Each structure stands twice: as structure tokens, then as C-alpha cells.
Amino acid sequence: MHRRHFVKLSASTTAALLFNGLTYASDSGPIIDTPNEVWAQWDAGWFKLNPVGGSSFSLNDIEVRLKVNGNGSGVYIQSPKTALARVRLKWKYPVKPTAKVLGDSWERTYGDSGWKNPDANVKNAWYVLLHDDADTACFGVKTGCSAICWWGINPSGIELTLETQSGGVGVQLGARNLHAADIITTKSTTAETPFLTAQRFCRLMCEKSRLPRAPVYGINDWYYAYGNNSPKLIKEQTAIMAGLATDTSNRPFSVIDAGWAAYSPLLPGDCCWADDFSRPNEKFKDMQAMAEDIVKLGMRPGLWTRPLCARYSDSPKLLAPQIKGRNDPRNPVLDPTIPENIERVKRNIAIYKNWGFEMVKHDFSTYDITGRWGFEMTDSITQAGWSFNDRSKTNAEIINHLYQSIRGSAGDMYLIGCNTFSHLSAGVFELNRIGDDTSGKEWARTRKMGVNTLGFRIPQHNIFYAADGDCVGLTNQVPWEKNKQWMQLLAESSAPLFISAQPDALGAEQKAFIKQSFASAAKVQPMGEPLDWLNNPLTSKWKLNGSVVDFNWG
């Protein structure tokens, strides 16, 4: 059982930008220069723009201009009359038959990451790495961009698509000059492995990180309670696990997951259909007292929420349009382009802070905005033909505004993005869930969503955010010898460690290992490196704290 299924069922920069026209280059030589072609899409289809000077392209009222922006190349778009859906830049770039490609994911990964053969039909979200026997070439856009961006690879070239839709229709920019994205590229140096190149490239893409002040670790109740939690259960679990934490200078978190908020009277007791995240339900009653109890027990209080969940009593004028994937009457969603709704989101985040919570995990916003999970975004990000109340902003701008609003209201609370667009979360949230739900019921799911994810997104860790690979679902339904390895990898790789432990699955051996793992996770460590990631989608050979560790994921 995972949350998505549950809902359905109930370093200094070494690259530089050199200009001869527009040439993106690194210390190892040029990679791509001014696009050979620029195309734009609106209702009538795709159309090729005409070059105007060295770095501008235009057709009718549409103009795409590239110019120097720091160490990248800014893409600026004007379209005062045409509702613009997408812009595509194309370069001639030879791709060797032996090359392997590693792209990113829109939000979380879904067990499908890895170095693969180039496929012209695949959208490589945000960035793409191209590795052959000689070097690794990296192509991306900087984090926080104002368009949804992906890269395409084919035998003779490389393409960057910048989606400028608002909802499922073209954006109406009016007189605005949209700074859509900043292109950034680099190539590996002779001293770099592909992993080190990937890390360095992440630093180029995200110049302003926002990271936890100390490593984050702790517990979460979801993978043994699955929403059937209670103050009594959480306090009992917090007391047990707090006794296993020995680092008094960096205390662990106890995160209260779904199940605490006020239920709709139409669906009483169903945790994911709670419709008011500003107040607790009858089980929890007093969330300030709950936070205080967690502190007294020796942990730091954290809380799960769903920011765009609407109330059943809300006016239809406040709701996002119903589309496929977002048409369940049990789950009305707020339109994030309406200021009143953003104020509600901010107010709820401020309430959690006033209750005394030190970390908030906010979930479902990508699904609630687009009506799709990341693995469903193969052809398009969302269904065509619909729009929010405000059509003047791109989807990326709408999402950025939501994230910045949450950030501003949170103050010094830590934020964990879950089901959030990765490239738009970077530099905004201290932590981000990098994969779909692991499991307290199926080891195969943890292996797929946890092990695979961490192996290919750990280069982003402590650069974009602290990369949260999700919990160890420590229950009697998952073999301990498997969970023990997953716990060790999280604890010793420097990634956040969260354990969701069923009380009667905690024997003496489990407690001793948790104590050891908490001690490791509480301190700053070298970042773990997957040594076999070029050939193994379930990375089993890792460099952890200077030693090589072999895992058997089974």
C-alpha cells in the first residue's frame, strides 16, 4: 500500500560561457552554440521561426531571443497576441551509437531511472547527461525556471523544449517578456568520473541552495499506520525511538503523517479525504499539545499536509477545473492562481508553525495542479484544453509562486516537498522526496522506488536540496535483512533517514541497528557514491565513508 494507491482506493564553477555569436562552452571545449533552428507551437501547430541577427528568432508576433545571463544563456520569449504553448530549440550534435543517457524526472522518480540508450521519444526532464567512452556532456536549465523544460536526444542532434502552457492551453503573455529559462552546459574533465561531473553540473544548475542546518533524520508513522494513526500511537512510537537517538545536539524528527486533519462529514475517518488542513480531527484535538508532547519525549515535531486540498463547502469559483485525474468529487482542489487560495495556503503553514511544528511535509501539489503523476507525463504534462482562472502565467510560474508562498509563510521551519516539481523545488525547500512511496508491505516496492531512486538522484543531494529517498518501512511484512540494508544505505550515504517502524517489529537486533543508524545519520558524512550506476539500475556497490559496500537487494 502506497499513498498514491491509497488515494485511488480510498565547488566553484569551472564552466564558462564563451561568445562567438552564442557558444556554450566548458573548460574542455565548446558543446553547443546558437540553435540551428527555433520552433514555436500554438493552436495552429508547430512553426519554424526565422533567424533575426545572431541570437534572435521571430515569426508573426513571436520572438525568441537568447542572451548572456551570468554563466548561462537566457531564453527570453515575447508573444503579445498568440497564446503560446511551447518553444523548441534544435542543435546539430553528433551522438555516438555507444552513448548512454541519464535524464532527470519531473518530480519524483518511479523506479525507472538509469543510464539508457538514447531514445528520441523520451522527454528528459530538466537536464540530460550524455556519456560515452571519452567523456560526459551535460545539458540543462537552471533551477527555478519559468517554463517546464525537457531535452530530446536523437542520433544527429539535441533539442530543448520549453513548455509555456497555462493549464492545458497556451499562455497569454500580453506585453510581458518571459525569461523562460537559463541554459547551462558543461563537459567532464579528465579527472572526473561521470558521478563527479553530475554533481558539479547540479551545482551549475542550482547556484543558491537552501539546505538543513544539520543532517535530518527521524521517524514517520505512515508505513505502519497508513493513516490509522492516533496521538497515543505516535507518542508511544516517539518515546521508543527517541531512546535510540544518542546525539543530543541534533535531535531526530517525529513526523505525523496523514490522518490528523479534520475529515469531511461525507467521508468520516478517511485520512486522505480530509478537507480542512487548518484544524485537527476528533482523534487529535489539540495539535499544539501534540507538538509539545513530541518535544518532551526528545524529538522535534513534524507534520504532513496537502496544501491545495479544498473544503467541500468552498465556492466552485475557488476550485480548479475538473479534468481527468482531478475530477473526483471527494477531492476538490484549490485553483492556485486565485490570491484568496494562496492566502489560505500561507495561513495554514503559519498555523503549523504557531502550533510548534519545526518541519512540514507538503504533498500532492503536482497531482493537484496537473491531474497527473510524473510517470503519466510521457506525452504531456497535463490534459489539453483547460485553464486556471489566470491564463497570463505559465504553469512553471504558477508553481513557483505556490512554492515561494509556502516558503515565505514557513519562516525557519524546514520544508519537505513531496510530489513537487524537482527543478522548481531546488533552492526553495530544505528537503525533497526524490522517489515515489516505499513500503511497509512490499520489499519489491522499496527496492524499486527507494534503491533505484537514490542511486540516480543522489548527485542532487545537498545541492538542490537534501534528497529524501523515503522511509524504511520496518514491519513484520518486510524481511529484516532487506530493510537493514536499506537503512544502512540511507544512514551512511548522508541522505535523510526516516524510519517508519511497526512497534511489534522492534526486537533487540532492530533497536541496536536503529541506534547505530541514528548515530550515523545525525552527523555530517561524505556523500555516498554509487560505483556501478552506469550499468546497474539497482545500484548495489556503494562507496560509503571511504569504504566499498556491496548490497544484495534480492
Side-chain angles (χ1 to χ4, degrees):
M1 181 79 72
H2 53 88
R3 194 187 309 274
R4 173 167 47 81
H5 185 56
F6 186 95
V7 170
K8 288 181 179 180
L9 293 177
S10 61
S12 63
T13 299
T14 58
L17 188 69
L18 307 177
F19 276 79
N20 178 7
L22 273 167
T23 300
Y24 315 93
S26 73
D27 48 358
S28 54
I31 300 181
I32 51 176
D33 54 18
T34 306
N36 299 100
E37 297 178 11
V38 175
W39 294 67
Q41 185 190 39
W42 58 91
D43 287 345
W46 281 99
F47 297 89
K48 186 177 179 181
L49 276 59
N50 302 311
V52 182
S55 56
S56 295
F57 301 80
S58 69
L59 180 68
N60 300 333
D61 67 317
I62 299 171
E63 181 180 9
V64 176
R65 184 166 51 95
L66 289 83
K67 70 174 186 178
V68 179
N69 195 5
N71 64 339
S73 178
V75 181
Y76 296 83
I77 300 171
Q78 290 181 287
S79 183
K81 297 179 182 179
T82 303
L84 188 65
R86 295 173 184 89
V87 167
R88 180 167 293 158
L89 314 180
K90 298 184 178 184
W91 294 267
K92 293 179 181 178
Y93 186 87
V95 178
K96 294 181 180 179
T98 57
K100 294 288 186 180
V101 169
L102 177 63
D104 198 17
S105 299
W106 297 118
E107 38 111 12
R108 303 173 297 189
T109 62
Y110 291 86
D112 53 359
S113 291
W115 289 93
K116 302 174 183 179
N117 296 324
D119 185 341
N121 295 316
V122 170
K123 293 178 171 66
N124 296 286
W126 311 117
Y127 67 80
V128 64
L129 278 58
L130 193 60
H131 177 71
D132 56 38
D133 294 336
D135 52 34
T136 305
C138 308
F139 308 85
V141 294
K142 290 189 178 182
T143 58
C145 45
S146 296
I148 304 295
C149 301
W150 68 85
W151 295 82
I153 303 291
N154 57 66
S156 60
I158 187 166
E159 302 176 353
L160 169 62
T161 301
L162 303 99
E163 182 171 286
T164 56
Q165 287 198 137
S166 183
V169 295
V171 67
Q172 296 176 338
L173 290 176
R176 287 206 298 141
N177 184 9
L178 178 69
H179 179 190
D182 290 313
I183 300 170
I184 190 79
T185 70
T186 194
K187 259 190 178 181
S188 56
T189 68
T190 54
E192 283 182 331
T193 63
F195 183 80
L196 293 176
T197 302
Q199 280 187 300
R200 179 168 61 82
F201 188 52
C202 286
R203 292 190 184 95
L204 294 177
M205 288 186 287
C206 184
E207 296 175 320
K208 295 181 179 178
S209 299
R210 185 184 181 104
L211 301 174
R213 294 177 291 277
V216 171
Y217 69 110
I219 65 173
N220 178 296
D221 61 79
W222 179 258
Y223 294 109
Y224 66 90
Y226 286 103
N228 294 314
N229 55 7
S230 67
K232 180 177 182 294
L233 182 64
I234 288 167
K235 284 188 280 189
E236 288 177 351
Q237 187 69 358
T238 300
I240 293 169
M241 301 292 272
L244 305 177
T246 57
D247 192 325
T248 57
S249 63
N250 182 22
R251 285 290 187 183
F253 284 88
S254 177
V255 180
I256 302 172
D257 214 289
W260 66 269
Y263 304 127
S264 163
L266 303 177
L267 293 154
D270 193 337
C271 70
C272 285
W273 303 125
D275 77 335
D276 189 348
F277 283 91
S278 68
R279 60 190 179 92
N281 55 46
E282 285 302 309
K283 283 194 301 180
F284 280 83
K285 296 183 180 178
D286 188 338
M287 295 304 287
Q288 182 171 343
M290 188 75 236
E292 291 171 353
D293 286 341
I294 289 173
V295 172
K296 290 175 185 175
L297 290 168
M299 287 197 176
R300 303 167 69 184
L303 190 67
W304 180 93
T305 189
R306 187 172 185 169
L308 291 178
C309 186
R311 302 187 189 110
Y312 288 86
S313 59
D314 280 333
S315 166
K317 295 180 180 180
L318 295 177
L319 303 183
Q322 289 194 347
I323 58 174
K324 183 179 180 181
R326 196 178 62 208
N327 55 2
D328 191 328
R330 297 175 299 175
N331 184 30
V333 173
L334 296 172
D335 183 332
T337 70
I338 297 175
E340 180 181 341
N341 291 338
I342 292 295
E343 290 305 310
R344 181 189 299 184
V345 172
K346 291 165 63 176
R347 188 164 56 249
N348 285 352
I349 298 295
I351 286 171
Y352 309 150
K353 181 176 174 61
N354 289 335
W355 283 343
F357 287 91
E358 298 181 41
M359 181 162 65
V360 169
K361 179 179 182 181
H362 63 95
D363 202 350
F364 278 95
S365 61
T366 293
Y367 182 79
D368 287 343
I369 287 171
T370 68
R372 292 183 179 175
W373 307 103
F375 68 88
E376 297 173 314
M377 298 176 181
T378 53
D379 296 324
S380 59
I381 298 299
T382 188
Q383 177 183 313
W386 67 275
S387 66
F388 290 115
N389 181 69
D390 183 356
R391 282 191 60 181
S392 70
K393 301 293 190 298
T394 68
N395 288 330
E397 290 180 300
I398 292 166
I399 293 164
N400 282 334
H401 181 57
L402 171 66
Y403 292 177
Q404 291 292 350
S405 298
I406 292 172
R407 173 76 273 156
S409 191
D412 61 355
M413 282 197 304
Y414 287 169
L415 293 170
I416 307 180
C418 186
N419 186 229
T420 51
F421 276 100
S422 172
H423 230 58
L424 307 183
S425 302
V428 182
F429 309 136
E430 287 85 357
L431 299 90
N432 198 49
R433 263 279 302 280
I434 55 172
D436 195 13
D437 288 12
T438 55
S439 180
K441 298 178 181 291
E442 309 167 59
W443 166 247
R445 183 173 181 85
T446 297
R447 182 178 59 196
K448 178 180 179 181
M449 302 302 184
V451 174
N452 172 265
T453 293
L454 193 66
F456 295 96
R457 296 189 83 170
I458 197 168
Q460 302 168 357
H461 176 52
N462 283 345
I463 300 172
F464 285 6
Y465 35 61
D468 174 18
D470 205 15
C471 297
V472 179
L474 205 169
T475 69
N476 290 319
Q477 294 174 268
V478 179
W480 166 240
E481 63 270 17
K482 300 303 182 185
N483 262 336
K484 182 179 181 180
Q485 293 182 89
W486 176 228
M487 192 185 301
Q488 179 185 356
L489 177 57
L490 291 172
E492 297 181 8
S493 64
S494 85
L497 168 66
F498 288 102
I499 301 172
S500 189
Q502 180 180 330
D504 61 5
L506 288 173
E509 181 182 355
Q510 286 79 14
K511 288 181 179 179
F513 197 74
I514 291 170
K515 187 173 185 178
Q516 175 185 325
S517 298
F518 273 178
S520 296
K523 63 186 180 182
V524 176
Q525 301 177 86
M527 187 181 300
E529 178 180 354
L531 300 177
D532 58 347
W533 74 325
L534 286 174
N535 303 301
N536 187 0
L538 291 172
T539 50
S540 58
K541 186 181 291 291
W542 284 76
K543 185 177 181 181
L544 302 174
N545 288 302
S547 300
V548 175
V549 179
D550 287 295
F551 293 100
N552 177 13
W553 302 121

